[in-house]
Amino acid sequence: MLRSSLRAIVSTLAGAAFAALVLVASPSVRAADAEPQDIPFTRHVLANGLRLVVHEDHKAPVVAVNVYYHVGSKNEHPGRTGFAHLFEHLMFNGSEHANDDWFRAVNGFGATSVNGTTDEDRTNYFETVPTGALDATLWLESDRMGHLLGAIDQGKLDEQRGVVQNEKRQGENAPYSGADRMLPGLLYPAGHPYSWSVIGSMEDLNAASLDDVKEWFRAYYGAANAVVVVCGDVDTAEVVKKVEHYFGDILAGPTVARPETWIAKRTGTVRVSVEERVPAARVLEIWNTPEWGSRDSHLLELAAAVLGRGQGSRLHIRLVRRDGIATSVSASQDEYEIAGQFQISATAARGADLAKVEKALDEERARFLADGPTEDELATEKTQIRAQFLRRTERVGGFGGKSGVLAYAELYGGRPDAWKDRFAVIAAATPADVRDAARRWLADGVLVVETRPFPKYTAAKQGADRSAMPAVKEAPDAKFPALVRSELPNGLRVVLARRTSLPLVRLDLVVDAGFAADPPAALGTSHLTGRVMGEGTTSRSADQLRRDVERIGADYELDTQTDTTRITLSVPKDGLAPCAAILADVARNPAFDAGEIEVQRRAQLAAIEQERVDGRGISQRVLPRLLYGAEHPYAAPSSGTGSAAVVAKLTREDLQKFHRTWFRPGSATLVVTGDATMEELTPLVTACFGGWEAGKAPEKRLPDVAAALSSRVYLVDRPGAPQSVIVAAQLVPARRAEDEMPLAVMNTILGGSFISRINMNLREDKHWSYGARSDVRGTRGPRALNLWASVQTDKTAESLAEMVKEMRGIAGGVPATQMEITAAKSSMTLTLPGRWEATRAVAESAAEMVSFRLPDDYFDGYASRIRAVTEADLAAAAKLVHPDSLVWLVIGDRKKVEKAVRDLGVGEMTVIDADGRAAE
């Protein structure tokens, strides 16, 4: 996976603000100066230079293994770009003693959060596995570190070269990608290590030879250039012994030269204009700034937060809410090892003059440079940074988890706790400090080279047995937290899933509403209602409510799905009382201010326009209607954004009526997850929600839909698209106990995992796509079984034919093998401990039980029910698949794909536009 660093940053708060009850005073909770939860560790350096960091966390029987190599695209050279990322892909294709797809092996362990990423400075590989699989995982990681070259051949190079090139095409198929691709060369002088993109050029990728990639491995994948972090339910002394055993005999590798800091501070203004197929104009402003770990970089992080983090930021208030000339705006300080970039981005509202947008950005920046942040703004952002860190580091692995924090700190800072330096700078920062840093870098230029001898390293004489992978120890079934329930007299249900590993609490108000509650002639009502609900209450302005929630370090989300609408607030425990009050006020007393409605209307219309030019967005808009029929509640776009014509005309009264009808306590459940007890919650919930007038929402009618008699093909023209998006869909029944688990196992085999049939076919075997998947949509009524892939344009018809073949195979033509069944079951059951590691994941599962009316013990027996699925069960589930009665949607360049797709004869073809209407 490529981690793109030169990217446009978008607002993360989904267009909603927050509120607090009148009965609760303005929150005074302040955690700005408190150090986040510590991450105790043990650091050990092997004789060959490998650095090992171990952290014990016994809350779940899982362990994260994170291997960081100090090599990225900045170690490349012009004419040989993209090697770091290409090599990352090759590392997943097997090693000398485990010469098989990496995902096939670790999925059998029950691994979660499995991936690899590459950026300018480093490449990492990570997985979270049940504790019993630690030996096998370390054996695999050490095998590809020390024993890879013998497994790389021309076939694997060609395969992964094709996969990477399709990843590149997929990125280039996204809106605004043309401008983003230009940034490295515009920001940095020729020869600067950041002056080319991480993914590289097509020409350089085509030129990569087998000798080139093998030399890359020899140069950069030695033990002395790596950090291994083991984090989770382990004993430190045992881990040290294991890592010495598996990694100790690996050669240190050659000395790697490290480029020194090269910020390339710029002067003057350079202006570039690009035309693209995008729904709205966008302006992006970037300054070259200091590197990772520097004091000024941390101060600029605070400046970016005040200017552009969320809806309470200065830029959002000015451009989106007050002037209405932008639909989104953001600011960020992105720091890398030898330099950083400060970015401000704004997407213009429909009809807005881009010059005015730029002028407003510059005016707000000038005001900040003159006066700096206020004390209140700075304290709020310090609290937010601490709260975000707590939420991220609740997990041991994955993106942003504790293992990643320790690895980054060791790799770049030289010690695993170097991350604390950031918090020390942030805690001590004054408004004048932040203002002065902004003046140094955002207003409108020493290289010192020191030579030090590297330490001498040696490799152990003996290492691990490479004849066989260590056996994976049997793991106990994951235990889902016991649910405690209560109910208020007005019908509001309260469900508590207690977790005490960190002082965090998450509140989810799950309301039986969702897109399916939209009137058929008013699609988009639920979405706009949700967006506006957080924009002020009857007692507090939007600005005041937003400030209140930010002061307590809360994280907010309002998620409107097909069957439910969910309002979520998570907060450090010391902010629980005001957090509950905020949630209640948003749910019960939205103001539906006329001005805020217009702000959110513009944002929703902009989102619709964005969907209409993006392949996946188009499929979200048109596929449900084609599959369910125009009158079904599930015919609405699966994004929920609805119809532009409807959204443009919705009135305040329409939104108030929707809220009165569907937001009723008798049709709502408050799911509480984290460090709380029902004794603590009962008086708090009663105070906040007890006065909510009793009542229930209408029961939604979700009829079955008759299967089509034959397959149909719909083509949407996207002239010049480098890839085609292909989706195949059919309906399967609503959840039923007798077929749910076999259907889930079958979907995992078909397309629900990396090693699934469709992904191994189109990505690994044919390398026509960066990835292909299938899923069964989570709805209360009839569900959609979807297959989808983004494929290179010249392989559109061939890819569709392969997808037809895979559907017919899973339907009975090629029954699931025992190996496939075993692998699928292992993946689905052994991943459960890692799945429920974080509060968010437990909350999602608890909310799923509420939304789909599942019994409280549903997840307690989940693993045993999966393991009980037989070949006969899968044969019965296969009867639910109808490969000759599918809805096919192809989104691509009509001139290049239409004839070949028609000639396949899969079904009658209709050319439609991005709204699903017949096109000429």
Side-chain angles (χ1 to χ4, degrees):
M1 176 184 287
L2 175 70
R3 194 209 76 172
S4 177
S5 56
L6 296 172
R7 62 198 183 277
I9 308 298
V10 296
S11 175
T12 59
L13 294 184
F18 318 102
L21 283 178
V22 181
L23 59 89
V24 176
S26 179
S28 58
V29 176
R30 265 289 194 265
D33 299 324
E35 186 174 285
Q37 195 88 353
D38 195 12
I39 309 177
F41 65 88
T42 297
R43 182 181 186 271
H44 179 75
V45 181
L46 277 63
N48 59 8
L50 179 77
R51 288 169 283 172
L52 168 66
V53 181
V54 186
H55 165 70
E56 295 188 23
D57 181 339
H58 301 286
K59 70 174 178 293
V62 295
V63 56
V65 177
N66 212 323
V67 183
Y68 272 63
Y69 295 89
H70 204 159
V71 57
S73 63
K74 80 167 183 289
N75 299 93
E76 300 162 352
H77 302 283
R80 286 293 184 266
T81 63
F83 271 51
H85 179 237
L86 175 60
F87 201 85
E88 175 221 311
H89 280 255
L90 284 167
M91 289 280 279
F92 284 99
N93 265 51
S95 51
E96 294 171 4
H97 306 95
N99 199 0
D100 196 2
D101 189 279
W102 175 272
F103 292 94
R104 197 185 307 279
V106 296
N107 282 4
F109 304 166
T112 56
S113 302
V114 183
N115 218 322
T117 70
T118 306
D119 69 7
E120 289 81 356
D121 306 307
R122 56 97 191 119
T123 305
N124 78 320
Y125 305 88
F126 58 87
E127 51 279 323
T128 302
V129 300
T131 304
L134 177 59
D135 279 274
T137 302
L138 293 175
W139 186 91
L140 280 171
E141 285 286 6
S142 63
D143 205 59
R144 63 177 174 183
M145 178 186 289
H147 305 274
L148 188 80
L149 290 185
I152 297 179
D153 56 25
Q154 191 65 45
K156 288 182 178 179
L157 173 58
D158 291 341
E159 171 191 310
Q160 292 308 315
R161 189 202 326 264
V163 170
V164 169
Q165 288 177 330
N166 272 298
E167 181 180 1
K168 182 176 174 67
R169 292 186 186 102
Q170 184 167 306
E172 292 173 355
N173 202 26
Y176 305 109
S177 63
D180 292 344
R181 292 197 302 273
M182 298 172 63
L183 292 177
L186 293 171
L187 283 168
Y188 295 103
H192 191 286
Y194 294 162
S195 64
W196 51 84
S197 70
V198 177
I199 204 167
S201 71
M202 283 292 190
E203 294 78 12
D204 289 357
L205 290 170
N206 283 326
S209 70
L210 193 57
D211 287 341
D212 289 331
V213 297
K214 288 188 175 183
E215 183 56 34
W216 184 266
F217 175 79
R218 295 187 187 101
Y220 296 111
Y221 275 73
N225 201 39
V227 173
V228 175
V229 177
V230 178
C231 183
D233 188 22
V234 294
D235 176 78
T236 297
E238 287 298 317
V239 171
V240 172
K241 292 178 184 178
K242 292 177 190 292
V243 173
E244 289 271 13
H245 177 60
Y246 293 115
F247 291 85
D249 65 331
I250 297 173
L251 295 176
T255 297
V256 177
R258 300 287 174 220
E260 295 294 327
T261 298
W262 187 1
I263 297 170
K265 194 174 189 298
R266 302 163 60 86
T267 60
T269 299
V270 174
R271 186 174 294 274
V272 176
S273 180
V274 179
E275 291 185 354
E276 281 195 76
R277 193 181 299 276
V278 294
R282 185 189 74 174
V283 59
L284 176 65
E285 299 179 336
I286 307 178
W287 295 261
N288 286 352
T289 57
E291 75 285 359
W292 185 96
S294 62
R295 180 175 183 271
D296 270 7
S297 182
H298 302 321
L299 295 173
L300 288 172
E301 178 185 357
L302 288 166
V306 173
L307 282 170
R309 184 202 58 78
Q311 296 188 45
S313 66
R314 292 188 181 189
L315 294 178
H316 187 93
I317 291 172
R318 165 72 186 274
L319 279 78
V320 179
R321 298 183 58 228
R322 196 189 84 182
D323 295 354
I325 57 176
T327 57
S328 66
V329 62
S330 63
S332 67
Q333 163 65 8
D334 292 343
E335 56 179 11
Y336 306 101
E337 191 173 13
I338 64 172
Q341 296 101 34
F342 191 100
Q343 300 191 16
I344 296 177
S345 174
T347 301
R350 181 184 296 201
D353 184 349
L354 196 60
K356 291 184 178 179
V357 174
E358 185 178 351
K359 183 173 183 290
L361 290 177
D362 291 343
E363 288 174 353
E364 289 303 315
R365 176 171 56 91
R367 183 163 71 92
F368 189 87
L369 296 181
D371 303 327
T374 66
E375 290 279 4
D376 185 66
E377 286 175 323
L378 194 56
T380 294
E381 296 310 329
K382 291 179 180 183
T383 301
Q384 284 289 324
I385 288 170
R386 172 181 176 267
Q388 290 165 5
F389 185 85
L390 277 173
R391 283 187 280 268
R392 287 203 321 269
T393 55
E394 185 180 16
R395 295 174 291 108
V396 294
F399 290 106
K402 284 188 281 190
S403 60
V405 170
L406 294 170
Y408 258 111
E410 172 62 36
L411 200 71
Y412 297 155
R415 50 180 231 279
D417 60 352
W419 60 269
K420 293 183 179 181
D421 298 347
R422 168 182 177 237
F423 284 96
V425 172
I426 288 173
T430 67
D433 292 333
V434 178
R435 178 202 63 200
D436 293 347
R439 288 177 178 176
R440 283 191 288 273
W441 297 100
L442 307 183
D444 191 44
V446 187
L447 175 63
V448 177
V449 178
E450 291 187 355
T451 303
R452 297 178 185 272
F454 274 75
K456 296 179 180 180
Y457 297 124
T458 59
K461 293 181 179 180
Q462 290 185 329
D465 179 5
R466 297 289 168 189
S467 62
M469 186 190 307
V472 177
K473 299 173 184 176
E474 184 176 353
D477 283 350
K479 297 295 184 182
F480 192 77
L483 300 184
V484 181
R485 290 181 175 266
S486 69
E487 185 173 323
L488 298 187
N490 60 9
L492 177 70
R493 295 173 294 276
V494 182
V495 176
L496 170 64
R498 190 164 186 242
R499 293 285 296 269
T500 60
S501 56
L502 280 178
L504 291 171
V505 185
R506 171 172 162 138
L507 307 178
D508 290 84
L509 186 67
V510 183
V511 181
D512 189 3
F515 312 147
D518 278 347
L523 300 183
T525 303
S526 59
H527 193 84
L528 185 58
T529 301
R531 292 186 69 98
V532 177
M533 279 182 62
E535 299 297 328
T537 69
T538 54
S539 60
R540 303 278 182 91
S541 69
D543 287 344
Q544 182 61 54
L545 295 174
R546 189 176 294 111
R547 285 194 294 270
D548 284 352
V549 77
E550 291 182 344
R551 284 173 179 148
I552 61 173
D555 189 31
Y556 171 85
E557 183 179 359
L558 197 151
D559 185 21
T560 305
Q561 300 177 341
T562 303
D563 296 301
T564 61
T565 299
R566 194 189 321 170
I567 308 174
T568 301
L569 280 163
S570 66
V571 70
K573 185 173 181 178
D574 50 15
L576 175 58
C579 180
I582 289 167
L583 177 61
D585 204 26
V586 171
R588 295 175 53 188
N589 309 309
F592 292 112
D593 176 79
E596 300 294 350
I597 291 174
E598 294 310 311
V599 171
Q600 299 307 319
R601 190 197 311 276
R602 286 194 298 269
Q604 190 162 329
L605 290 171
I608 292 172
E609 289 300 308
Q610 176 77 12
E611 290 169 359
R612 295 183 73 255
V613 300
D614 177 73
R616 292 300 298 273
I618 293 170
S619 69
Q620 288 181 319
R621 296 198 61 74
V622 305
L623 188 61
R625 188 181 183 94
L626 299 174
L627 191 60
Y628 286 96
E631 301 305 315
H632 198 280
Y634 289 170
S638 58
S639 64
T641 52
S643 161
V646 169
V647 174
K649 296 179 180 179
L650 286 172
T651 67
R652 181 173 187 265
E653 289 70 27
D654 294 330
L655 306 189
Q656 288 176 315
K657 180 180 178 182
F658 186 91
H659 177 261
R660 286 195 304 270
T661 302
W662 295 98
F663 281 74
R664 311 292 295 164
S667 301
T669 302
L670 180 64
V671 179
V672 183
T673 315
D675 190 9
T677 65
M678 190 60 79
E679 289 74 20
E680 292 174 301
L681 289 171
T682 298
L684 183 59
V685 173
T686 300
C688 296
F689 292 93
W692 197 357
E693 184 180 355
K696 294 187 69 174
E699 188 72 22
K700 293 191 287 283
R701 180 176 169 271
L702 304 172
D704 290 333
V705 179
L709 298 178
S710 60
S711 291
R712 297 159 288 160
V713 182
Y714 297 90
L715 173 62
V716 179
D717 187 20
R718 288 197 71 216
Q723 283 192 323
S724 297
V725 175
I726 305 174
V727 186
Q730 67 152 88
L731 295 178
V732 295
R735 284 193 182 201
R736 299 183 304 194
E738 60 269 25
D739 60 26
E740 177 62 22
M741 297 307 170
L743 181 62
V745 174
M746 183 187 70
N747 176 69
T748 301
I749 295 169
L750 173 62
S753 72
F754 184 90
I755 62 171
S756 65
R757 290 183 175 185
I758 185 65
N759 192 60
M760 297 303 286
N761 184 335
L762 293 184
R763 173 183 162 124
E764 299 296 296
D765 296 342
K766 306 292 192 309
H767 44 87
W768 295 341
S769 172
Y770 181 59
R773 291 290 191 270
S774 69
D775 67 6
V776 180
R777 190 177 173 202
T779 52
R780 192 178 294 160
R783 297 172 293 166
L785 169 62
N786 300 313
L787 275 75
W788 72 90
S790 292
V791 303
Q792 59 194 70
T793 296
D794 62 344
K795 296 298 181 182
T796 300
E798 293 89 336
S799 298
L800 196 150
E802 291 298 318
M803 294 171 77
V804 171
K805 183 185 79 173
E806 297 297 353
M807 287 291 279
R808 288 178 177 159
I810 204 70
V814 184
T817 66
Q818 189 57 53
M819 181 180 294
E820 286 178 315
I821 296 170
T822 300
K825 289 181 179 180
S826 295
S827 174
M828 297 172 70
T829 57
L830 296 177
T831 56
L832 292 176
R835 175 179 171 183
W836 292 323
E837 179 192 6
T839 300
R840 181 183 184 90
V842 174
E844 293 288 347
S845 292
E848 179 183 353
M849 294 163 67
V850 169
S851 300
F852 300 113
R853 301 166 183 175
L854 304 173
D856 283 3
D857 62 353
Y858 176 79
F859 285 114
D860 290 339
Y862 184 88
S864 60
R865 294 197 301 275
I866 289 291
R867 286 194 289 263
V869 172
T870 65
E871 291 186 46
D873 294 329
L874 286 175
K879 295 179 181 178
L880 298 174
V881 180
H882 305 293
D884 296 313
S885 302
L886 297 170
V887 172
W888 289 92
L889 181 62
V890 180
I891 305 162
D893 191 327
R894 180 180 179 182
K895 290 181 179 179
K896 296 179 179 179
V897 307
E898 181 178 8
K899 183 180 185 303
V901 174
R902 283 190 187 274
D903 290 348
L904 285 177
V906 172
E908 181 181 350
M909 178 183 282
T910 304
V911 181
I912 59 176
D913 64 16
D915 295 310
R917 299 184 295 257
E920 296 183 0

